[in-house]
Each structure stands twice: as C-alpha cells, then as structure tokens.
Amino acid sequence: PYAEEECIEAAMICFDAWLAERGTDGSREVDEGIRKLRLFLETNQDSRFTPFGEPVDLEQRTVYQRAGYTLEDAGETYFLVQGEVFRQEIMKGFDSRLIAKALRDNSMLKAGEGNNLTRKTSVGNNRFYWVNSKVLEDIQIHSERSENSETF
C-alpha cells in the first residue's frame, strides 16, 4: 500500500496535467463561447462592423449582414454588437447570458444600467453588447459562480 501523502501527490500531478491540457480552470462553456466570439470578431471586424456615427459614404464598400459598429469611448475601443447577432449568430449553441456575464465580470463587456448586459449609445434607443476590443487579446477569462450570483 501507498502512503496517503504519496496518493495525494500523485493525484495532484494528474490533475495539474489534466488542467494544463484543458487550458482553463473556469467554465468550459464560457471558454468556448469566448473563443467563438474572438473568432467572429477576428474574421468579421472589417467586413461587418463600421465606425459608429460616421456618415455613410456611398462610394465606399457596402456592409452586408451588418453585425454592428465600432466605437471609441474613454480611450477604449468597443464592438457594438447588435443583440440578435450576438444571441442567435455568435452565441448560437451557447448560453449567451452566461457568456455576456463572464465578459462583464472580466471587464470585457461594458454593460448598461442595473442588470442590463446591453447598453444604449448617446444617440438613439438601440441597445448593443459593448464588447471591449481587448477580448481579441489572448486573455484567460474566469467564470466564477458564487452564492451571491444568479443561477444560470
């Protein structure tokens, strides 16, 4: 038989190797959802987003299937993603609220007032998911569920 300490040490070595291979100690769904969002923004940032509030130049390229806008605010760049594009296209197959909350909790989403995960711009009444462009950086986003957080 093995000593208890040796068993615990062996289990920790196995766990550390598993965790290193998995790539995150957070929610797998959150990790995969963030990766899907990054992929969408990386592949569509120039074709489906235009600067917010700039006049439309009919001689420039046409934006097909607009996903939203880009906006500079307080020194930060945001992708203003339209709600249904975020929920039905980008997060298809994922819990979009769970992903948005993880983004918010990690300062990657500028949420609205109260419990709103979307927010308005200074012009109009449309609400957008304000995704910080820092989400394109290879940052590990943690998802923590505490007794005080909402049930997903």
Side-chain angles (χ1 to χ4, degrees):
Y2 296 98
E4 182 178 343
E5 295 81 27
E6 291 175 332
C7 294
I8 292 172
E9 184 178 339
M12 288 304 297
I13 290 170
C14 291
F15 176 77
D16 289 342
W18 171 81
L19 187 59
E21 182 66 28
R22 183 173 188 255
T24 181
D25 60 354
S27 166
R28 174 70 110 193
E29 181 175 8
V30 168
D31 184 54
E32 290 176 0
I34 300 302
R35 289 178 185 275
K36 188 171 180 187
L37 174 63
R38 279 189 190 129
L39 176 63
F40 182 88
L41 295 175
E42 288 171 352
T43 57
N44 294 290
Q45 63 182 328
D46 294 326
S47 61
R48 296 185 63 188
F49 292 86
T50 56
F52 183 80
E54 290 189 11
V56 176
D57 183 353
L58 299 177
E59 293 183 16
Q60 287 185 342
R61 63 176 167 77
T62 302
V63 177
Y64 296 100
Q65 297 181 335
R66 178 180 305 281
Y69 302 91
T70 56
L71 178 70
E72 296 286 329
D73 185 61
E76 300 280 351
T77 301
Y78 292 93
F79 291 97
L80 277 53
V81 183
Q82 296 175 7
E84 293 307 313
V85 171
F86 185 84
R87 289 185 293 270
Q88 294 189 30
E89 184 176 351
I90 301 172
M91 292 292 110
K92 185 175 183 176
F94 292 92
D95 181 342
S96 62
R97 286 191 56 79
L98 174 67
I99 306 302
K101 286 177 183 179
L103 287 166
R104 178 200 60 201
D105 294 347
N106 287 273
S107 302
M108 294 291 121
L109 180 80
K110 189 173 184 178
E113 312 79 30
N115 290 328
N116 286 320
L117 295 169
T118 58
R119 65 182 295 125
K120 295 178 182 179
T121 62
S122 59
V123 179
N125 290 318
N126 292 338
R127 300 188 75 85
F128 299 93
Y129 287 92
W130 287 45
V131 179
N132 193 307
S133 64
K134 290 180 182 177
V135 77
L136 296 174
E137 299 171 10
D138 194 19
I139 299 171
Q140 184 170 343
I141 295 186
H142 297 279
S143 171
E144 296 184 22
R145 296 182 182 181
S146 69
E147 293 177 14
N148 298 330
S149 66
E150 297 178 20
T151 304
F152 301 109

